[in-house]
Amino acid sequence: GLTRALFNGGPIRARTGRPETPMPRLDRYLLARLLQVWGLASLVLVLIYWVNRAIRVFDLLIADGQSAWVFLELTALALPSVIKIAVPLAAVVAVIIAVNRLAGDSELAVLQAAGLSPRRLARPVLVFGVIVALLMALIIHVLAPAAASRLAERQSEIAQSATARLLREGEFISPLPGLTIYIRDVAPSGEIGGLLLSDARDPGAAVTYTARAAWLVQGADGPQLVMLDGLIQRLSPGEGLVTTTFADLAYDLGPLLPAPDDGRRGWRELGTPDLLFPTPAIEAETGLSAARLRAEGHDRLAEPLLAPVGALLMLCALLLGSFSRFGLWRQIAAAVALAILVKGAESAAVGAVEADPSLWPLAYGPAILGLALSAALLWLAERPPLWRRVGLG
């Protein structure tokens, strides 16, 4: 495949400083290699991150009595935030694996012997990085805010589901300290059979409600538990035990449930234009200052830039030195160290911007650092005699 890509694309000129003849077939060959490895690496990393998050969500939803469909919906809505983490990491892994495979199959040596400069080899890698960056931009600016908004709505609906949180058969449930609910069974029609509700939150007057049947209804002020044919037992130090029978009684479940969502959005649910150009209404809705919102918007703009920079940096590091039968392990170690350096710079920039939003230009610092390192390494890779003189070739 490499031989056809080389010689069907036109003549190749040696490194004489003149422009080299474009070879789109070679670009497609290298780009296809990168995309194949990147796709597989992305799938593996996304599955690892997704399963780790899905386990936590599964435990919470099962404890609340939610269905498997709700679990699948919530984990699917969490995928954009997982993908935007895994995709750039997979791009770095793809460049390392693809270039190492080219070197192991002697294809990299063939390309270099044919007169292709490191700068020429960097072209398909840069195109690959741009493709990954465009995908990241789509996820970060479109899919992730939409998924975060829908996820917040679904979590609010689940939190307000009294049936899921309180009405579980055959279990003693304590939604609040001092409050215990027990339900014998729940009929398919929704009728609750055999209810016990013990309210000992007030030590001076413990109250226990028992009822033959009950219904959960939605009242004007929130969910109500309507009990039928029951008994109230009130125990207080002054009066002792007092019992009262009733035919029907409504018990307000509102205090037992989380406070209703006020409909305010978080900054993660906002579009990038809203973050870059916040209005006073958006500031009031999110509770964040305009400077902080703009900083978050610039962070979104800078994040996709790390994909092409990281891919290019890995290639330039792997092209250093000459051919060795022992492989590219030294270059791979150097590439990983550089990736850690850029990632550390990103973490430091994020921390600085969070502490002082006026430092938002630092969000672009890691990409600029990676680009500068790539340019320096590319310059050195095109001058192998320098490496030989210092004993690194």
Side-chain angles (χ1 to χ4, degrees):
L2 178 58
T3 303
R4 290 195 299 271
L6 277 172
F7 295 104
N8 290 340
I12 305 171
R13 300 179 183 178
R15 299 173 187 163
T16 59
R18 291 176 294 175
E20 297 174 358
T21 304
M23 291 180 295
R25 291 196 180 187
L26 174 62
D27 287 347
R28 291 197 298 269
Y29 175 78
L30 295 178
L31 186 59
R33 277 284 187 92
L34 290 169
L35 289 175
Q36 289 171 1
V37 180
W38 172 70
L40 180 59
S42 297
L43 179 61
V44 172
L45 290 174
V46 167
L47 285 177
I48 292 174
Y49 280 106
W50 181 77
V51 168
N52 183 44
R53 179 167 297 185
I55 290 174
R56 297 197 300 267
V57 175
F58 180 80
D59 291 338
L60 293 174
L61 293 180
I62 292 301
D64 280 346
Q66 299 296 329
S67 65
W69 174 253
V70 175
F71 164 74
L72 292 175
E73 181 183 7
L74 294 187
T75 51
L77 291 173
L79 274 177
S81 61
V82 171
I83 293 175
K84 74 175 185 178
I85 297 174
V87 161
L89 182 58
V92 170
V93 173
V95 173
I96 293 176
I97 293 177
V99 175
N100 187 55
R101 183 176 177 182
L102 289 175
D105 295 341
S106 300
E107 293 180 339
L108 186 60
V110 172
L111 292 173
Q112 293 173 333
L116 268 74
S117 67
R119 187 179 308 173
R120 179 62 185 79
L121 290 172
R123 190 168 77 179
V125 175
L126 185 59
V127 172
F128 163 70
V130 171
I131 292 174
V132 178
L134 291 176
L135 177 61
M136 285 188 62
L138 174 65
I139 295 171
I140 292 171
H141 299 298
V142 179
L143 298 182
S149 178
R150 178 57 181 165
L151 183 60
E153 292 177 4
R154 292 295 290 125
Q155 288 176 335
S156 177
E157 293 172 4
I158 292 171
Q160 295 301 315
S161 175
T163 302
R165 295 183 61 87
L166 302 177
L167 307 184
R168 298 203 294 269
E169 298 180 3
E171 296 183 33
F172 287 92
I173 303 170
S174 296
L176 294 175
L179 186 68
T180 303
I181 300 175
Y182 176 82
I183 294 173
R184 186 182 67 233
D185 57 69
V186 179
S189 62
E191 181 181 1
I192 299 169
L195 172 70
L196 180 145
L197 193 154
S198 176
D199 188 352
R201 290 176 292 176
D202 184 0
V207 183
T208 300
Y209 301 86
T210 56
R212 177 189 58 81
W215 291 86
L216 181 69
V217 299
Q218 187 66 31
D221 299 326
Q224 306 281 328
L225 188 62
V226 178
M227 296 178 278
L228 307 175
D229 298 333
L231 177 70
I232 304 175
Q233 302 178 69
R234 182 185 301 271
L235 179 62
S236 62
E239 300 178 0
L241 179 63
V242 179
T243 61
T244 305
T245 59
F246 61 86
D248 59 82
L249 177 69
Y251 187 91
D252 184 14
L253 293 176
L256 311 183
L257 301 174
D261 188 7
D262 57 5
R264 299 188 355 167
R265 295 176 297 172
W267 67 266
R268 289 183 177 83
E269 303 168 46
L270 298 176
T272 303
D274 291 332
L275 293 176
L276 294 174
F277 307 101
T279 63
I282 292 177
E283 293 181 56
E285 183 180 13
T286 60
L288 298 176
S289 65
R292 177 62 187 277
L293 292 171
R294 279 192 291 268
E296 297 294 347
H298 284 288
D299 183 66
R300 283 189 186 178
L301 292 177
E303 194 170 355
L305 300 178
L306 292 175
V309 169
L312 191 60
L313 182 61
M314 294 302 100
L315 174 70
C316 295
L318 294 174
L319 291 179
L320 293 178
S322 57
F323 173 78
S324 173
R325 65 178 181 274
F326 298 107
L328 300 177
W329 66 268
R330 290 180 297 178
Q331 289 91 332
I332 291 176
V336 172
L338 290 173
I340 293 175
L341 175 64
V342 173
K343 193 63 180 178
E346 181 189 13
S347 299
V350 169
V353 173
E354 286 182 353
D356 185 358
S358 64
L359 299 177
W360 61 262
L362 290 179
Y364 301 94
I368 295 174
L369 173 63
L371 188 60
L373 290 173
S374 300
L377 294 176
L378 192 61
W379 184 84
L380 290 174
E382 291 181 338
R383 291 159 178 80
L386 289 176
W387 292 95
R388 296 193 185 99
R389 285 199 295 268
V390 298
L392 297 176

